[in-house]
Amino acid sequence: MVKSIEEIKKIEIACRKSKYILMELGKMIRPNISTKMLEIEAEKLMKKENVISAFKGYRNYPASICISVNEEVVHGIPSESKILKEGDIVSIDVGVIYEGYYGDCAYTFKVGKVEEKYEKLLEVTKTALLKGIEKAIAGNRVGDISSTIQRFVESNGFSVVREFAGHGVGRSLHEYPEIPNFGEPGKGEILKENMTIAIEPMVNEGSPWIKILSDGWTVVTEDNKRSAHFEDTVWVRKGKPVILTKI
Ligand code: MF3
Ligand code: CO
């Protein structure tokens, strides 16, 4: 799943647009807005940026973005009846297609002021992503990323979700290699120069275990404690990795 430089340029445009849309949505977050309103705004932004959603219709997913609130881990479906309130944490996941190429990113936002333990959950998840990204170097193995994320998260008293993982991305949404958020250093696939991969720790406040709601999509924590999710698409090189989902 190595890309040409021409392909990486297109992937980079898709990535920048996805991050731009994600951050614009972040600015709209406030108490009393429904997640459906954010979905509508996301669709407007995608139209303006000449991209289409990478999620809508993917395995019959019914919306353009995913919005997962509090105990929802990932894949929350925007809904008119889901209203944000002060103190919530909201994970938004945006994936877009630009001229056939994909970008994928996610960020967990706060609604107003949140309790200190949730501030820490967000900070640890965001830092885990950055530490994982630092290991995305040609010649390293997937397990170097996975274990770095797991160790950092667990040493801070939180847990990583096992059932979902990061992934190669670019010509399609989910490509090889798979990038789990747990594992052993020195194990797994060797990373190659010019791979483009999405790294996406999903971190739970309590137990790592999850269940899926009857809508067939929404992933929630088994213990109903909160969860955070940060994702970036990264270009693997011989030296320092490049975060493509950067504005
Ligand atoms: N960013 C998520 C992922 O990489 C989003 C998938 S949502 C889906 O898996 F609807 F497209 F499945
Ligand atoms: Co992803």
Side-chain angles (χ1 to χ4, degrees):
M1 282 298 160
V2 166
K3 277 84 179 181
S4 69
I5 296 301
E6 291 67 38
E7 287 180 302
I8 292 171
K9 281 183 184 154
K10 295 254 170 90
I11 294 165
E12 181 168 38
I13 296 172
C15 285
R16 286 189 178 169
K17 287 175 182 282
S18 65
K19 187 58 158 272
Y20 166 72
I21 293 166
L22 177 61
M23 289 306 157
E24 287 299 302
L25 295 171
K27 292 182 199 165
M28 295 172 197
I29 287 181
R30 53 175 170 76
N32 292 322
I33 191 171
S34 72
T35 58
K36 177 74 180 186
M37 274 304 295
L38 293 168
E39 157 86 4
I40 291 168
E41 294 301 324
E43 289 191 337
K44 285 188 206 159
L45 286 161
M46 287 181 193
K47 199 165 260 173
K48 177 170 90 93
E49 293 297 317
N50 282 309
V51 293
I52 58 169
S53 166
F55 302 164
K56 195 164 193 168
Y58 178 86
R59 298 190 182 184
N60 291 322
Y61 183 72
S64 291
I65 57 174
C66 302
I67 309 182
S68 311
V69 183
N70 295 340
E71 76 283 0
E72 296 174 349
V73 180
V74 287
H75 303 168
I77 302 170
S79 155
E80 243 165 276
S81 60
K82 191 112 199 163
I83 312 288
L84 301 183
K85 57 182 193 309
E86 176 93 18
D88 285 347
I89 59 170
V90 187
S91 304
I92 302 186
D93 195 336
V94 176
V96 303
I97 312 172
Y98 171 78
E99 293 187 4
Y101 290 90
Y102 288 69
D104 192 7
C105 56
Y107 196 98
T108 303
F109 300 95
K110 299 178 276 192
V111 185
K113 226 180 132 45
V114 306
E115 279 178 57
E116 195 145 336
K117 58 180 174 179
Y118 304 129
E119 293 272 2
K120 186 184 170 200
L121 178 66
L122 302 193
E123 217 41 60
V124 166
T125 311
K126 192 198 272 185
T127 305
L129 170 58
L130 287 177
K131 286 181 179 285
I133 290 171
E134 284 173 11
K135 301 289 163 118
I137 297 169
N140 277 1
R141 288 179 184 264
V142 167
D144 298 323
I145 300 175
S146 306
S147 61
T148 298
I149 291 172
Q150 181 180 22
R151 284 175 187 185
F152 181 72
V153 167
E154 292 180 351
S155 70
N156 278 283
F158 298 129
S159 66
V160 292
V161 171
R162 268 74 164 164
E163 287 83 351
F164 299 89
H167 47 92
V169 58
R171 296 176 197 142
S172 56
L173 180 60
H174 293 141
E175 302 172 345
Y176 289 107
E178 187 178 71
I179 320 279
N181 296 301
F182 66 103
E184 299 288 330
K187 297 272 171 70
E189 206 95 33
I190 298 181
L191 298 169
K192 297 197 188 81
E193 190 178 17
N194 298 335
M195 278 181 166
T196 48
I197 58 174
I199 304 176
E200 49 179 318
M202 286 145 268
V203 174
N204 293 354
E205 179 195 352
S207 124
W209 309 119
I210 54 104
K211 55 194 183 187
I212 296 178
L213 297 185
S214 58
D215 62 17
W217 280 103
T218 312
V219 178
V220 297
T221 56
E222 175 209 54
D223 58 10
N224 284 313
K225 292 190 174 187
R226 293 187 181 190
S227 186
H229 179 215
F230 288 80
E231 177 177 26
D232 275 311
T233 299
V234 174
W235 172 15
V236 177
R237 304 189 306 166
K238 284 187 181 134
K240 218 169 115 56
V242 177
I243 300 175
L244 295 175
T245 37
K246 224 172 193 160
I247 303 173

